Amino acid sequence: MAGQFEAIPGGGAAVALDGVEVSILRSLAVQLLELIGPGDEPAEGADPLAALFNEGPSEPPADPAVARLFPNAYGDEDDEQREYSSEFRRFTENDLRSRKREDGIAVVRTLDALTADGEDGVVLELTADDCLHWLGALNDLRLTIGTRLEVTDEDEGGDLYRLPDSDPRKPMVMAYLWLGALQETLVETLMP
């Protein structure tokens, strides 16, 4: 089980993690939450139903990593596509941010709930619902790190795999690869 998720009875998954891995995962999830931003809670005494109909932003985020998490729905090749994307964003981005925030919070909470299982680390057990939150958060973390590393769909970062240990990007590349392996094994545990 070390380093990869395995299915457990009841539709969940488990993975063995050491203390450093728990710390890294928690730190990355917290950084992701900071990147996504705080939730838009209704003001005290405000109608919560009215808050559901608040419009979101209409412009794409300036930060490339955030823009990768909240991409344009229709591209931006022409004015008409930009207008459609703007409208779509206005009515969907707040909900998407909320879901991504819930995924990140679920990761932090499950990691915080772990208790040490001896010196070798802990076994993280996820329910089926937790697995879905973790899949979302792992995907968002990989998208964010991949954007920062300028990984493209065409090369999937081939040059990054051969970085010397002295390169300051090396730890991010290692995190990117590790998160990908966790994500892949979690997906495999959920497949029938």
Side-chain angles (χ1 to χ4, degrees), residues 15-173:
V15 63
L17 300 169
D18 65 31
V20 173
E21 291 169 327
V22 170
S23 178
I24 290 169
L25 280 169
R26 188 181 190 291
S27 175
L28 289 172
V30 168
Q31 290 176 54
L32 178 65
L33 288 168
E34 290 171 359
L35 197 61
I36 292 169
D40 294 328
E41 296 295 322
E44 188 174 327
D47 180 6
L49 184 59
L52 289 175
F53 295 100
N54 284 344
E55 293 181 6
S58 60
E59 295 297 319
D63 182 331
V66 180
R68 184 68 176 102
L69 294 175
F70 305 101
N72 281 334
Y74 299 100
D76 61 357
E77 287 81 38
D78 60 43
D79 289 340
E80 185 177 40
Q81 285 183 331
R82 281 190 288 276
E83 184 179 331
Y84 291 155
S85 287
S86 176
E87 286 296 301
F88 187 82
R89 181 179 301 281
R90 241 179 62 213
F91 295 109
T92 62
E93 187 170 314
N94 285 344
D95 287 340
L96 185 56
R97 278 185 188 272
S98 178
R99 186 187 57 77
K100 289 179 180 298
R101 196 176 301 105
E102 288 171 13
D103 291 345
I105 289 169
V107 168
V108 171
R109 285 185 178 153
T110 54
L111 292 171
D112 286 350
L114 289 175
T115 57
D117 185 24
E119 292 182 19
D120 295 329
V122 295
V123 174
L124 172 67
E125 290 189 12
L126 302 175
T127 65
D129 286 340
D130 289 337
C131 288
L132 297 177
H133 287 297
W134 270 73
L135 276 176
L138 288 171
N139 185 62
D140 291 343
L141 285 168
R142 289 195 74 237
L143 286 172
T144 302
I145 293 171
T147 301
R148 295 284 192 240
L149 291 170
E150 299 178 352
V151 174
T152 63
D153 291 336
E154 291 79 36
D155 67 6
E156 190 59 26
D159 292 339
L160 293 175
Y161 300 118
R162 294 180 289 282
L163 288 177
D165 290 343
S166 60
D167 192 299
R169 298 172 294 170
K170 186 73 170 201
M172 289 295 279
V173 170

